[in-house]
Amino acid sequence: MMLRWNMLLMILVSAFVLCCGDRSVAAGDASLPQIPAMSVEEFFALPAEEQRTVLVEALEQRLRLFENIAYETRTRKYVLREDLSMFPYGGEIAEPADKKMFHMKFDTRCRGESYWQEYQMTLVESPKHEHGIIRKEVRTADASEGEFLRAYGVINDEGQSSSGSITHLKNWNHKEGLLNFWGNGTAGGHDLYFIQETVQALSLLDTADLESDRSPPINSGMIGDRETISFSYPFQFPRMKKYPGILTVHFDPVRQFLPLAYRLECSQKQEQGRELRWFEAMRVEQAAQTQGIWFPQRFHLLKCNRLPTGAEAESVDEVRVESVSFGTVTQEDLAFTFPAGIEVEDNTTGVRYTADGKGGVLGEVQGIPYLNERYLRGKILPFLLLILLPGTGIALFLLVRYVDRRYARIEREQPASPGV
């Protein structure tokens, strides 16, 4: 009898644990962004306005993934001298024949506007360093303090060196490098946050654009053997106003509108037509489902300032997502402490010190906080660029205009010379 009660008790406990475990998993999944999925036929059966609404909602939910995400990536950067002008439509980029390349490894954790990242770059060989270079860096963006901290070390034929720095977060493009701009970020030189930009472009469309028979903005397309929906719209980098372009992005609605590819061409108007100034394209080669969400596993990225016809060598990035998890990052995962013995340059106060490895200072602090040349120079120089230089230009313009008017008035006031 006792044995039966023990067995029954074990069954009840096991059932309770399983039920509670399922509830905890379900609760965790429920907190994740809910991204819709449908077939291409179902998408285009929707009214035009609803198509836009569904696509915007799906992309906004994808951007939400980066509010709490942890992932590890491995990147190979290599050089090819092949015709890639049809990428990403012409198939997968081939393996490089020359094995000399960069290897990069990222371990990243994002939570809200803050993140922590460990980065290692290995250069197999270089003209200056026969045995290559290894660069390691740990960096964190602390949104609550408005600071960007990083410590890095370099190992090469000449030995090794290291240093650290603290910078105002607003002075750093702090989203640069986070899964090659798949999330939100601040625009820089050639920083294309293609999902963020697509959401903004879709939001600007009106009903007339959506119902236009001449050039429907949302079309069907193909990437490899997968049918996609594509969206094309004008785009230009903030620092390249002279070079407007067209960005086309392809999505797979079956896999929760996973971006499969994009292609951007920016050109400058010339007398003979238009000359290409920037080419950029991405293509997802493999994807997998994690915690019920489709995410890229491997993709290629190509950037160059010409059409990649193979006439010149081009640099290609192959990015592999080794692991990814959503909603698992805590505030403790973003903790950062400078290693002991590293020289830290604090650009927020203008001082320099040696870290003790415990969050404190080893020895004396060099410089007086906020009252030293380095800090004041950093404060005054932006003021000169922002205020003094434009003010000087305006003053010179007004002075030239005044002198010009004065000479004109003197000429009018002079008596006319008597004729011969």
Side-chain angles (χ1 to χ4, degrees):
M1 186 71 175
M2 183 64 68
L3 180 61
R4 291 181 179 177
W5 275 109
N6 288 340
M7 291 182 64
L8 181 60
L9 182 61
M10 290 177 63
I11 292 173
L12 291 173
V13 170
S14 300
F16 177 79
V17 170
L18 288 174
C19 290
C20 289
D22 290 344
R23 287 195 186 99
S24 64
V25 171
D29 290 344
S31 65
L32 295 178
Q34 302 300 304
I35 308 177
M38 62 183 66
S39 67
V40 175
E41 292 77 14
E42 290 173 330
F43 178 82
F44 283 110
L46 300 173
E49 183 64 35
E50 194 170 343
Q51 290 178 18
R52 176 177 65 172
T53 301
V54 169
L55 182 54
V56 168
E57 178 185 351
L59 299 184
E60 286 180 340
Q61 296 303 315
R62 284 208 163 270
L63 291 175
R64 275 192 58 207
L65 294 175
F66 288 85
E67 295 176 3
N68 190 305
I69 185 174
Y71 58 87
E72 294 183 22
T73 60
R74 303 290 184 270
T75 300
R76 297 190 305 164
K77 183 182 288 289
Y78 52 85
V79 174
L80 285 180
R81 193 180 291 271
E82 297 182 11
D83 187 356
L84 302 175
S85 58
M86 293 303 297
F87 182 74
Y89 307 118
E92 184 174 346
I93 294 178
E95 285 287 316
D98 190 350
K99 296 301 181 182
K100 298 177 182 178
M101 62 187 75
F102 285 101
H103 294 278
M104 289 172 284
K105 181 169 61 175
F106 294 88
D107 182 2
T108 308
R109 307 162 196 165
C110 303
R111 183 180 173 88
E113 290 298 317
S114 300
Y115 76 87
W116 176 96
Q117 186 176 74
E118 185 175 16
Y119 157 73
Q120 177 176 313
M121 182 199 74
T122 303
L123 174 60
V124 178
E125 183 181 341
S126 73
K128 294 184 179 180
H129 302 281
E130 180 181 354
H131 300 96
I133 301 174
I134 298 178
R135 178 187 176 97
K136 297 182 179 181
E137 184 172 322
V138 178
R139 49 198 177 194
T140 182
D142 188 342
S144 62
E145 299 292 334
E147 293 180 340
F148 182 85
L149 301 84
R150 63 172 179 163
Y152 66 90
V154 177
I155 304 174
N156 53 38
D157 296 343
E158 301 169 359
Q160 64 181 60
S161 61
S162 61
S163 65
S165 64
I166 304 176
T167 309
H168 287 295
L169 193 55
K170 62 182 180 181
N171 296 334
W172 188 270
N173 182 15
H174 60 280
K175 289 295 184 181
E176 178 254 341
L178 299 189
L179 198 64
N180 297 86
F181 312 106
W182 278 65
N184 287 303
T186 305
H190 289 140
D191 301 339
L192 175 55
Y193 297 91
F194 64 98
I195 300 179
Q196 171 185 284
E197 297 292 345
T198 301
V199 170
Q200 294 175 358
L202 283 166
S203 301
L204 294 175
L205 290 177
D206 56 28
T207 305
D209 294 326
L210 292 166
E211 297 177 350
S212 172
D213 294 330
R214 294 178 303 160
S215 179
I218 302 178
N219 296 291
S220 60
M222 294 291 295
I223 296 296
D225 58 354
R226 282 195 169 270
E227 191 174 1
T228 67
I229 62 172
S230 67
F231 177 54
S232 299
Y233 57 95
F235 174 85
Q236 59 185 168
F237 293 107
R239 298 182 184 179
M240 297 174 61
K241 294 295 186 182
K242 297 190 299 183
Y243 311 136
I246 297 295
L247 176 61
T248 301
V249 190
H250 290 258
F251 306 95
D252 183 359
V254 175
R255 294 187 285 185
Q256 300 169 312
F257 294 87
L258 174 72
L260 289 188
Y262 71 77
R263 179 180 171 116
L264 170 66
E265 295 184 33
C266 295
S267 58
Q268 181 182 26
K269 189 174 182 180
Q270 304 283 353
E271 294 182 0
Q272 300 80 11
R274 301 196 69 87
E275 181 179 353
L276 189 67
R277 291 293 186 178
W278 185 254
F279 177 92
E280 181 171 336
M282 182 277 299
R283 171 175 161 136
V284 173
E285 311 296 353
Q286 294 174 333
Q289 210 170 13
T290 301
Q291 295 175 250
I293 295 175
W294 281 98
F295 206 70
Q297 273 192 320
R298 185 170 69 91
F299 58 91
H300 283 112
L301 182 63
L302 174 62
K303 297 182 180 184
C304 48
N305 57 6
R306 67 188 73 85
L307 193 66
T309 59
E312 299 184 45
E314 306 297 349
S315 176
V316 179
D317 285 3
E318 181 196 46
V319 182
R320 293 180 180 270
V321 180
E322 299 291 324
S323 65
V324 62
S325 63
F326 309 107
T328 60
V329 180
T330 65
Q331 194 63 37
E332 289 73 23
D333 295 325
L334 308 180
F336 176 88
T337 302
F338 286 107
I342 194 172
E343 295 291 330
V344 179
E345 187 171 341
D346 188 346
N347 297 306
T348 64
T349 61
V351 300
R352 184 179 300 167
Y353 59 88
T354 302
D356 64 358
K358 302 177 183 179
V361 177
L362 187 64
E364 297 182 357
V365 175
Q366 300 179 22
I368 303 174
Y370 310 109
L371 290 175
N372 59 77
E373 180 186 354
R374 290 170 51 251
Y375 176 78
L376 295 176
R377 185 171 64 245
K379 288 294 183 181
I380 294 175
L381 185 58
F383 170 79
L384 293 176
L385 295 176
L386 185 64
I387 305 296
L388 187 57
L389 291 182
T392 302
I394 294 173
L396 288 174
F397 171 78
L398 295 176
L399 178 61
V400 170
R401 186 175 180 133
Y402 168 76
V403 172
D404 185 50
R405 287 187 172 184
R406 183 171 177 80
Y407 273 112
R409 187 175 63 186
I410 292 174
E411 289 180 357
R412 288 195 304 268
E413 292 176 352
Q414 287 178 348
S417 302
V420 177

